[in-house]
Structures are given as structure tokens and as C-alpha cells.
Amino acid sequence: PLNTIVDLGCGVGMSTFALQDRFPEAEMIGIDLSPYFLAVAQSRGDAQERQVSWRHAAAEMTGLPDHSVDLVSFSLVFHEIPAEGARTIFAEMHRILRPGGYLALMDMNPQASAHRKMPPFVLALLKSTEPFLDDYFSFDIAEAIAAAGFQTPTQTVSSPRHRTIIAQAK
């Protein structure tokens, strides 16, 4: 059973609420670095009478106890950060997950033909708002997850531009 779920990089709570709808019995924790986004999430949650614990913290240092979480979810986070930051985050996720707990992330898929066939001027525009895109597209995220102590991740194409990666903590 999933008793405790953390939505890291929860933003205004869209992914948090989707997880809560799917797992209504679980304790839900939304963590983000933006106090503004957390305030919006709190307001939206209050309006919907949702029970979510919103926390202001960096994904690299959540402040959560060791082995206290069953599932950590990320939605569209890793293309926003450098690879070294991602490695630090995976180590923190391994620390907070219970043995057998899961890490799940959905993000851009560097192998997607939609990205590979993108006209150069469109790619240049995209990179102007996504400064770590080159780093992300060359980053072996599955290897970094495994190196942090997870079993070999599974990767699934989840849209023409996105992938979902799931890994279980050893």
C-alpha cells in the first residue's frame, strides 16, 4: 500500500491533486522551491477541501525522515535542472524512500522524434527558456537513478514528447 506520497516540484498542485485522486487514502505531501506556487497550491487545495501537507524545500534537501515515503513523483522537473543537481536529488530520494518504495518521473523524452525533428529556430527558441536542455538531452538519467541505489528503471513513452521513468529503491 502507498501510505505516504511526495510530489516533488509540485508547483501549483496539479500533479499533486492527480496523485491524490488516484491514491485517496495516502498521506500527500507537496514540495516545491517556490513559495508563490505553494501559496497558489494551498489556496486551490483549500477551495477543494483537500488534505495536503505543502512544504517549502529544495528537492536536494527535503527535510523528510529517512525511509519515510512510499512513492516520490516528479512531473516535468528534470529538464529544468543541471545533471549534477539531478544526481543529488536521486540520492535524496533514495534516502527518504522506504526499501521497495518507488521513484516515478515524467519529463521530456530526448529520443522523441518530435524533439529530434524540431526546426533549428524552434529549438533555439525553446533553449532560450530552458537553459539546461542540452544538459538534460545528453544526460543518462536511467544510469544516474541506478547509481543512486535504485533497481534498473523502466522507461515508457507517455506522449509524443514525453516519457515516464519508474524505479524501485533497493
Side-chain angles (χ1 to χ4, degrees):
L2 296 177
N3 298 315
T4 305
I5 298 173
V6 173
D7 186 23
L8 266 159
C10 66
V12 298
M14 290 174 58
S15 53
T16 314
F17 299 143
L19 283 163
Q20 191 173 49
D21 290 345
R22 176 65 180 89
F23 303 102
E25 301 303 316
E27 174 191 5
M28 188 63 56
I29 301 169
I31 298 177
D32 203 275
L33 197 54
S34 169
Y36 173 75
F37 284 165
L38 288 169
V40 172
Q42 177 75 55
S43 177
R44 292 179 69 225
D46 289 350
Q48 298 176 34
E49 298 182 359
R50 292 188 181 254
Q51 298 297 313
V52 177
S53 173
W54 303 106
R55 298 182 186 206
H56 178 245
E60 300 90 336
M61 296 183 300
T62 62
L64 295 171
D66 292 357
H67 312 297
S68 61
V69 174
D70 299 295
L71 171 65
V72 176
S73 177
F74 292 89
S75 183
L76 299 169
V77 170
F78 287 96
H79 74 276
E80 301 283 356
I81 58 176
E84 280 311 308
R87 287 185 180 90
T88 304
I89 291 169
F90 295 142
E92 173 71 354
M93 296 310 95
H94 192 265
R95 182 189 70 76
I96 68 171
L97 278 164
R98 291 184 177 99
Y102 286 91
L103 166 74
L105 69 93
M106 186 278 297
D107 214 314
M108 297 171 75
N109 182 359
Q111 285 75 47
S113 63
H115 296 300
R116 286 185 281 126
K117 293 179 181 177
M118 195 175 290
F121 72 93
V122 174
L123 186 57
L125 285 172
L126 181 60
K127 287 179 183 180
S128 72
T129 63
E130 304 292 350
F132 299 108
L133 203 57
D134 284 334
D135 198 22
Y136 175 75
F137 276 20
S138 64
F139 178 45
D140 188 343
I141 199 166
E143 185 278 326
I145 291 169
F150 290 88
Q151 293 180 6
T152 302
T154 61
Q155 297 188 55
T156 306
V157 172
S158 45
S159 86
R161 289 186 168 87
H162 301 93
R163 64 182 172 183
T164 300
I165 300 173
I166 298 174
Q168 190 172 24
K170 290 182 184 176

